[in-house]
Amino acid sequence: RDFQQADVKYLSRWKKWKRTSSKSLKKMLNEVKGLSSYLVLWRHDIRNIGGRFGTGIQSYFSFLRFLVLLNFIIFILMFGFVTLPTIISTYGIFNSTVAKISPQNIEYNCTIYEPRGNKGLVYFFTYLQDLFSGTGFLEVTSLFYGYYTVDNVWISMMRYNLPLAYLLATFAYLALSLLWIIKRSVGGFKQNLVHDADQFQSYCNKVFAGWDFCITDPNAAWLKQRSLQYELQTDLEEERLKQKIADRTIKEKLRIYSLRIIINIIVVAILSGCFYSIYRVTVFSQENSNVSMRTDSIDNMNFLANLLVQYLPSMVMALANFFGLQIFTFLIKFEDYLPAFEIILTLMRCVFLYLANIGVLLFSLWSQISDCAAGKCEPCGYNYELYPCWESNVGQEMYKLMLFDLIMILAMTLFVNFPRKLLVSHCSWKLIQWYGFPEFGISDNVLQIMYGQTICWIGTFFSPLLPAIATVKYFVIFYIKKISLIHTCKPAAKPIRASISNLFFLAMLLLGLLLAFIPLGVSIASIPSSKACGPFRNFNTSWEVVPVTILEFPIGLQKVLFGMASESFAVPIFMVTCLIMFYLIALSGAHKRVIEQLREQLVLVRFDPLY
């Protein structure tokens, strides 16, 4: 400091001012950053949860906050670029006008779309059914795809291409989600690599750096001590099991492998049964829902029956997810894997079940939409009699799944966990005391919200305002889970380390996002768009708006864009990408060898006096 102050005497006024202003700016930015931390959503609540229950559970609530922010930004994106221009043009704000292009060279039957809406006097039961199923008055609102029938919006002399904006906004929210998840995954991935690098290092981390200094609650401190003890016991048990596996005889290996094959056959049979049940129930629900929608008379019993029929797929999927998790957790105990691999394999089976159920539901819907038997879709390319606006029907299914998921979470907390807590607290029966308080399982809760977020990603294309519902849903879930954790549940006896849990949460979320790419890609590029509703009714598919828009560009720009989409451009790009990948792999190998040499040198520090 004395040297720098002496050096200031010989600086020019410009350099002195530059140095002073740089220090002032840096100080101001630090203060602004400190103040902005107080504006972070649920900052105080999440810190208190971390202090009472440790960083593993804290990471779950931080994950919930991330999903609230992500869905809110997706909602702003879809509302700003799709919903708002449509509303502005509909009501003539800013002297805007609407340009609607009538479908050409299309059969008249394909353009008939008459949603039930609100016609005359409507029973209260009908309003409830519409609210829970997305039909009736909700079907004709901006919540669903069928509302957006505008082709162009003119504001003064500026033309706004709504179909192109709709498609680009879809690509934008998918790309934003992918980049944000990858960015958050990098830190946890690095920590996980360091943590799993060496077993000796793992023991050192637990003994010397395993304590969580955020904990302030005595019960949480006791739980953390028990957790560290459990982790050390687990590590020692894994070492014993590895030795036991190495000492197995051929007869024991044959027995274990035969048992694993039988259990995997059972798992495949359970998955197949779930998928077939969802397929049959979805077909039944779609056929009978469309029949019931054509009838105007409704009473109390009809209302309940119609609502039950429409929610059958959601109910069967919820039951499949719940019982599948319990069965997989039970079967894994007989396969004699290492404890860490048991957890991973069980969760991977559950993730596959959750995501595959969504895939089967969508496949069932598309099989109905594309059912061309007996010339049902000859003029339009899809089953227009059953699905005059099939995109809105898919959006309604995603809307019902979203609502039912929230209802199930509320029901489990209010009607299962809370009564169980009361029974254990006020009843001294040994059976009830043995059953104990419900555990706050981090993995189970993450599976639930991963399932809901995948539904949101898929459904946003068919229901542009679905992210707003997801934002409110996760906002409510945060407080439900917080109250449940503090008042009705106990932390899991086998908690997950925070760095590993963050990476695990994001990896499951990334799987859900990759699954969402498949149905959206098929819907946009392969299935003919509805000719009676939506912004793409004048195109064969939703993707066709891109080449049609490019044809409006100047000839030179058209050649450049079509050239970039050709094989002559794609092959060199692929070759360059492969070369870069091989270079990075070689660089990674070199870094790995350097790390091994440094570890050897660290070992020498303890023995060689020259060091």
Side-chain angles (χ1 to χ4, degrees):
R1 186 175 62 226
D2 294 339
F3 176 76
Q4 287 184 355
Q5 288 176 354
D7 190 46
V8 169
K9 299 177 182 178
Y10 305 101
L11 293 177
S12 63
R13 290 183 177 179
W14 165 251
K15 289 186 177 180
K16 286 181 181 179
W17 179 84
K18 189 177 179 181
R19 178 177 290 188
T20 305
S21 60
S22 176
K23 287 182 179 180
S24 301
L25 180 62
K26 190 177 292 185
K27 184 178 179 181
M28 185 184 71
L29 289 175
N30 287 333
E31 290 178 353
V32 170
K33 187 177 180 181
L35 290 173
S36 63
S37 65
Y38 290 97
L39 302 176
V40 176
L41 183 65
W42 296 320
R43 173 176 173 269
H44 182 69
D45 293 333
I46 291 177
R47 281 192 175 184
N48 285 341
I49 289 170
R52 292 185 62 179
F53 304 103
T55 53
I57 293 178
Q58 181 184 9
S59 62
Y60 165 75
F61 286 93
S62 299
F63 185 60
L64 261 179
R65 178 175 60 188
F66 163 67
L67 290 183
V68 169
L69 296 175
L70 176 64
N71 284 293
F72 181 72
I73 291 175
I74 293 174
F75 161 68
I76 293 296
L77 191 68
M78 295 300 293
F79 182 80
F81 289 97
V82 177
T83 308
L84 189 60
T86 306
I87 294 173
I88 287 174
S89 61
T90 303
Y91 293 99
I93 304 172
F94 301 126
N95 294 324
S96 57
T97 56
V98 179
K100 292 188 178 181
I101 304 171
S102 300
Q104 299 176 354
N105 302 322
I106 296 175
E107 291 284 340
Y108 173 73
N109 291 338
C110 301
T111 62
I112 299 175
Y113 175 51
E114 298 177 351
R116 186 156 49 87
N118 291 332
K119 298 179 180 179
L121 184 62
V122 180
Y123 288 95
F124 176 70
F125 301 121
T126 308
Y127 275 112
L128 281 180
Q129 181 179 344
D130 293 344
L131 182 64
F132 282 105
S133 60
T135 55
F137 73 94
L138 272 182
E139 190 173 355
V140 295
T141 62
S142 56
L143 179 61
F144 293 110
Y145 172 94
Y147 173 82
Y148 302 91
T149 56
V150 176
D151 294 286
N152 294 309
V153 177
W154 288 91
I155 302 176
S156 296
M157 299 299 294
M158 185 181 70
R159 182 174 74 97
Y160 187 80
N161 190 339
L162 186 69
L164 182 64
Y166 198 106
L167 191 63
L168 293 181
T170 302
F171 294 155
Y173 82 74
L174 292 173
L176 171 69
S177 302
L178 179 63
L179 293 175
W180 203 347
I181 292 171
I182 290 174
K183 181 179 180 298
R184 288 178 62 96
S185 303
V186 170
F189 183 68
K190 289 178 180 178
Q191 293 179 25
N192 198 35
L193 284 177
V194 172
H195 176 70
D196 295 338
D198 183 19
Q199 192 65 33
F200 177 74
Q201 185 180 9
S202 175
Y203 286 119
C204 290
N205 286 340
K206 288 181 178 67
V207 174
F208 296 108
W211 188 252
D212 188 350
F213 287 93
C214 293
I215 294 176
T216 57
D217 186 68
N219 293 327
W222 175 79
L223 182 69
K224 183 64 178 178
Q225 290 174 358
R226 193 176 65 174
S227 170
L228 287 171
Q229 179 186 359
Y230 168 78
E231 287 184 12
L232 289 169
Q233 288 175 343
T234 302
D235 289 341
L236 294 171
E237 181 67 15
E238 284 193 0
E239 292 296 324
R240 188 188 67 80
L241 289 174
K242 286 178 182 177
Q243 187 63 39
K244 179 183 174 182
I245 290 170
D247 296 338
R248 277 177 183 166
T249 62
I250 296 176
K251 184 178 179 180
E252 289 175 339
K253 289 181 180 179
L254 286 174
R255 183 185 65 82
I256 289 295
Y257 293 150
S258 301
L259 186 60
R260 288 176 183 174
I261 290 171
I262 293 171
I263 289 175
N264 279 294
I265 291 172
I266 295 172
V267 169
V268 171
I270 292 170
L271 291 173
S272 302
C274 292
F275 299 159
Y276 182 75
S277 301
I278 292 169
Y279 175 78
R280 296 305 307 169
V281 163
T282 304
V283 172
F284 174 81
S285 174
Q286 290 296 306
E287 290 177 349
N288 288 274
S289 295
N290 282 280
V291 170
S292 65
M293 287 302 158
R294 295 190 183 99
T295 62
D296 295 330
S297 61
I298 188 168
D299 55 20
N300 193 357
M301 295 303 296
N302 283 336
F303 158 72
L304 293 175
N306 291 335
L307 201 60
L308 180 63
V309 167
Q310 292 186 34
Y311 268 88
L312 266 181
S314 303
M315 294 168 65
V316 171
M317 288 175 68
L319 291 173
N321 292 339
F322 176 76
F323 287 109
L325 176 62
Q326 306 302 320
I327 294 171
F328 295 157
T329 305
F330 174 74
L331 290 177
I332 197 70
K333 298 175 183 178
F334 301 98
E335 296 187 71
D336 202 12
Y337 287 114
L338 294 175
F341 187 73
E342 278 188 6
I343 296 172
I344 293 172
L345 183 60
T346 304
L347 289 174
M348 289 306 297
R349 284 172 176 170
C350 293
V351 168
F352 180 77
L353 174 65
Y354 277 58
L355 298 182
N357 283 345
I358 300 174
V360 172
L361 173 69
L362 293 171
F363 173 78
S364 307
L365 288 173
W366 286 330
S367 65
Q368 291 290 103
I369 294 166
S370 305
D371 183 13
C372 297
K376 291 180 182 178
C377 49
E378 185 175 339
C380 310
Y382 58 92
N383 192 345
Y384 67 94
E385 293 182 355
L386 200 59
Y387 300 97
C389 183
W390 65 265
E391 291 92 345
S392 288
N393 288 107
V394 176
Q396 287 166 359
E397 288 300 321
M398 298 297 106
Y399 171 80
K400 286 185 284 188
L401 285 175
M402 182 79 71
L403 280 186
F404 192 75
D405 189 41
L406 177 61
I407 291 169
M408 286 297 296
I409 292 172
L410 285 168
M412 286 295 294
T413 303
L414 295 176
F415 303 116
V416 178
N417 292 339
F418 185 67
R420 179 176 169 182
K421 195 256 184 183
L422 291 177
L423 280 173
V424 174
S425 300
H426 298 93
C427 185
S428 58
W429 292 358
K430 290 184 178 180
L431 180 62
I432 293 176
Q433 292 300 318
W434 172 81
Y435 196 49
F437 293 105
E439 282 193 354
F440 190 86
I442 299 177
S443 303
D444 304 345
N445 284 289
V446 171
L447 281 171
Q448 285 181 341
I449 60 176
M450 178 272 300
Y451 169 76
Q453 186 58 37
T454 305
I455 292 170
C456 179
W457 277 322
I458 296 172
T460 300
F461 178 77
F462 308 103
S463 176
L465 298 186
L466 198 62
I469 299 174
T471 304
V472 176
K473 172 189 168 183
Y474 290 129
F475 196 88
V476 172
I477 286 176
F478 181 91
Y479 288 102
I480 292 172
K481 294 298 181 182
K482 179 188 171 186
I483 294 170
S484 176
L485 173 65
I486 295 172
H487 298 289
T488 64
C489 294
K490 64 178 181 180
K494 302 177 182 178
I496 306 175
R497 185 181 292 270
S499 60
I500 298 174
S501 61
N502 283 328
L503 178 64
F504 170 68
F505 298 164
L506 294 167
M508 288 202 299
L509 200 60
L510 190 60
L511 282 175
L513 180 59
L514 294 177
L515 172 74
F517 285 155
I518 299 172
L520 288 177
V522 172
S523 301
I524 291 171
S526 298
I527 302 180
S529 55
S530 296
K531 303 301 182 290
C533 67
F536 304 105
R537 66 192 188 285
N538 292 305
F539 303 97
N540 291 327
T541 61
S542 303
W543 175 254
E544 194 176 288
V545 68
V546 175
V548 169
T549 305
I550 292 175
L551 290 175
E552 299 176 1
F553 293 165
I555 300 297
L557 185 57
Q558 287 184 34
K559 291 181 179 179
V560 171
L561 293 175
F562 283 122
M564 290 174 64
S566 64
E567 294 85 353
S568 57
F569 181 79
V571 172
I573 289 293
F574 177 74
M575 296 298 294
V576 171
T577 305
C578 289
L579 290 173
I580 294 172
M581 183 180 66
F582 290 141
Y583 167 74
L584 292 174
I585 291 173
L587 189 64
S588 174
H591 287 165
K592 189 175 181 179
R593 287 192 294 272
V594 171
I595 290 169
E596 291 174 355
Q597 292 173 3
L598 290 172
R599 282 182 180 153
E600 292 174 0
Q601 291 180 15
L602 285 173
V603 173
L604 292 174
V605 170
R606 294 180 294 171
F607 303 106
D608 196 336
L610 293 178
Y611 282 89

